[in-house]
Amino acid sequence: MSSMTSKTETPAAPAAKTASGKETARAYLFTSESVTEGHPDKIADQISDGVLDALIAQDPMSRVACEVLVTTGLAFVAGEISSKGYVEIPRLVRQIIGDIGYDSAEYGFDSHTCAVITAIDDQSGDIAMGVDKGGAGDQGLMFGYACSETQELMPLPIMLAHRLTRKLSEVRRSGALPYLRPDGKSQVTVEYEGTRPVRIDTVVLSTQHHADVKQEQIAADLKEHVTRSVLPPELIDAKRPIKYYINPTGQFVKGGPMADTGLTGRKIIADTYGGVGSHGGGAFSGKDPTKVDRSASYAARWIAKNLVAAELCERCEIQIAYAIGEPDPVSVMVNTWGTGQLPDTELTRRVLAVFDLKPLSIIRDLNLRRPIFKKTAAYGHFGREEDGFTWEKTDRVDDLKRG
């Protein structure tokens, strides 16, 4: 196994120096975004993972690579699936679209009338040869990240962005703001001093809405019902008030798949760490756990979170890489950007001693052959201590401390 120590700071930067030569933490802004479950790309992700869950519930050994495109009046489901289970895909697709909230032509996308087209083949026998013997379902590189700046051991900007979009959905579904529609986005800019978040600088909120509602009312309602309950008071500076951009174009009536084509896997940064750290490029949704794009990314988060929870570092990034058909990773890297209590080479050695990173071992240890994936398809795959999110467990802390 290879290991590497990098001095690149992500997202934090080295300390600056004053005119007298004294070091001081550099201040900078960092931004992350999230989208609601009614965003077109997230509709596609939820359909992809809904198909996966329906099949894996019947046949835990299902091999699924399900991609979805949604546009005006149409959902196109394609992919490679080998399973003993059976799913009536058009019915499932319409159910998911309706559950999201697109159940009326008034919203521009209607679960009752949208067309569903399918193009499904079996998994390639060439790929299956490698997977059947316990090898990785594809080559690739996967990253995991954790840091000590939030209780969830996640970067603050992405956690705040997800909380805002969740709250948007909550006030829509509860009827508190009945004019809201399913599509929406958030963006949060946080000011840092070194690696410490000190202030929320900017909040962007865009939400689909009924045509008759004035923008002034939307802005006032979102500040009252959404941002006030989400944004931490200790990160609000009265002397430098938050800059709000609410529906910045002035109107957001046409939304969802009618306004923008959605595709599975097009929100990979919102799905992970909001732009902090690195990304291997592989999407998660619609892929069964033999696909290391998904399972190894979950394992990398599990490792990173346990290292930070063990107080062996303040933040770290894990890279794992595989060759298709081979069970052992070709490389594993631990990078703590100099925040480790031990050298990164020693932390890498401990990780390799504590975690078995063969794909079948990851699937076993994280219990991934279960229908747990649809709920990961909106509001992020990480930082959520909910049932099924086994990669958020800190169950290897003592083992890592012992070495």
Side-chain angles (χ1 to χ4, degrees):
M1 304 295 176
S2 66
S3 63
M4 179 175 67
T5 301
S6 170
K7 295 301 181 185
T8 303
E9 294 286 336
T10 311
K17 288 187 177 181
T18 64
S20 63
K22 183 180 179 181
E23 286 195 351
T24 179
R26 184 178 72 89
Y28 62 95
L29 302 176
F30 193 85
T31 303
S32 295
E33 73 155 357
S34 176
V35 298
T36 66
E37 76 263 34
H39 185 281
D41 295 328
K42 279 291 140 197
I43 298 172
D45 284 341
Q46 289 166 93
I47 293 171
S48 292
D49 275 335
V51 171
L52 170 61
D53 275 0
L55 289 168
I56 214 167
Q58 300 172 61
D59 176 10
M61 305 303 289
S62 294
R63 305 273 176 82
V64 179
C66 179
E67 314 290 345
V68 175
L69 176 150
V70 292
T71 187
T72 306
L74 173 66
F76 193 130
V77 183
E80 294 77 46
I81 296 175
S82 297
S83 176
K84 296 177 182 177
Y86 171 76
V87 176
E88 188 177 342
I89 289 178
R91 177 183 293 177
L92 178 64
V93 168
R94 293 191 179 98
Q95 177 188 328
I96 291 170
I97 292 169
D99 289 345
I100 290 168
Y102 289 106
D103 55 4
S104 169
E106 178 187 357
Y107 305 154
F109 197 59
D110 185 356
S111 61
H112 301 104
T113 59
C114 69
V116 180
I117 299 174
T118 62
I120 306 295
D121 292 316
D122 291 334
Q123 183 189 55
S124 164
D126 296 338
I127 296 174
M129 286 174 59
V131 177
D132 289 345
K133 66 179 185 181
D138 201 353
Q139 73 172 44
L141 50 144
M142 300 84 206
F143 288 91
Y145 184 87
C147 61
S148 58
E149 65 189 65
T150 63
Q151 181 180 347
E152 298 87 358
L153 304 186
M154 287 282 289
L156 180 65
I158 189 63
M159 294 307 296
L160 292 179
H162 284 324
R163 288 171 193 162
L164 287 171
T165 49
R166 274 184 175 270
K167 194 66 177 179
L168 268 180
S169 179
E170 180 183 313
V171 297
R172 170 178 65 89
R173 291 178 177 276
S174 71
L177 299 179
Y179 58 80
L180 296 185
R181 299 298 181 252
D183 197 358
K185 304 178 80 172
S186 72
Q187 187 172 285
V188 179
T189 301
V190 174
E191 181 179 352
Y192 283 78
E193 290 180 359
T195 59
R196 185 172 65 93
V198 295
R199 183 179 69 91
I200 299 169
D201 182 81
T202 305
V203 170
V204 182
L205 274 177
S206 297
T207 180
Q208 186 185 9
H209 59 87
H210 191 281
D212 294 339
V213 184
K214 301 296 184 183
Q215 292 302 313
E216 294 79 6
Q217 181 184 347
I218 294 173
D221 285 348
L222 292 191
K223 288 181 181 179
E224 173 67 24
H225 295 277
V226 177
T227 65
R228 178 173 293 182
S229 63
V230 168
L231 303 180
E234 65 272 17
L235 292 176
I236 299 174
D237 186 346
K239 295 180 180 179
R240 292 185 293 169
I242 296 171
K243 297 185 285 289
Y244 287 97
Y245 297 90
I246 296 178
N247 282 2
T249 67
Q251 182 170 290
F252 189 177
V253 173
K254 186 177 180 180
M258 185 179 185
D260 184 17
T261 298
L263 295 170
T264 298
R266 203 160 56 178
K267 283 290 175 281
I268 59 176
I269 300 304
D271 281 345
T272 52
Y273 308 101
V276 177
S278 307
H279 198 294
F284 301 156
S285 289
K287 297 177 181 177
D288 75 82
T290 67
K291 277 70 173 177
V292 285
D293 276 339
R294 179 169 224 156
S295 53
S297 294
Y298 289 175
R301 164 61 179 171
W302 182 35
I303 295 167
K305 187 173 182 181
N306 274 268
L307 283 168
V308 175
E311 298 183 346
L312 291 170
C313 54
E314 294 179 13
R315 60 196 182 100
C316 76
E317 181 174 89
I318 309 298
Q319 188 201 54
I320 310 171
Y322 292 87
I324 188 168
E326 293 296 322
D328 288 310
V330 299
S331 70
V332 176
M333 178 198 75
V334 176
N335 179 13
T336 67
W337 293 279
T339 69
Q341 297 299 310
L342 298 166
D344 289 355
T345 50
E346 169 60 17
L347 293 179
T348 301
R349 186 197 66 77
R350 293 190 182 197
V351 164
L352 294 172
V354 170
F355 294 90
D356 185 345
L357 296 176
K358 296 181 180 67
L360 290 183
S361 300
I362 294 171
I363 291 169
R364 176 199 67 211
D365 293 341
L366 296 180
N367 198 9
L368 296 180
R369 294 200 191 275
R370 295 181 295 150
I372 58 173
F373 298 107
K374 181 176 172 290
K375 59 185 172 182
T376 69
Y379 309 112
H381 293 246
F382 307 124
R384 298 168 59 180
E385 295 186 1
E386 303 172 29
D387 183 48
F389 287 69
T390 50
W391 47 94
E392 294 296 321
K393 298 184 299 182
T394 52
D395 56 347
R396 300 293 174 91
V397 164
D398 292 338
D399 294 334
L400 288 167
K401 285 182 176 179
R402 284 193 297 267

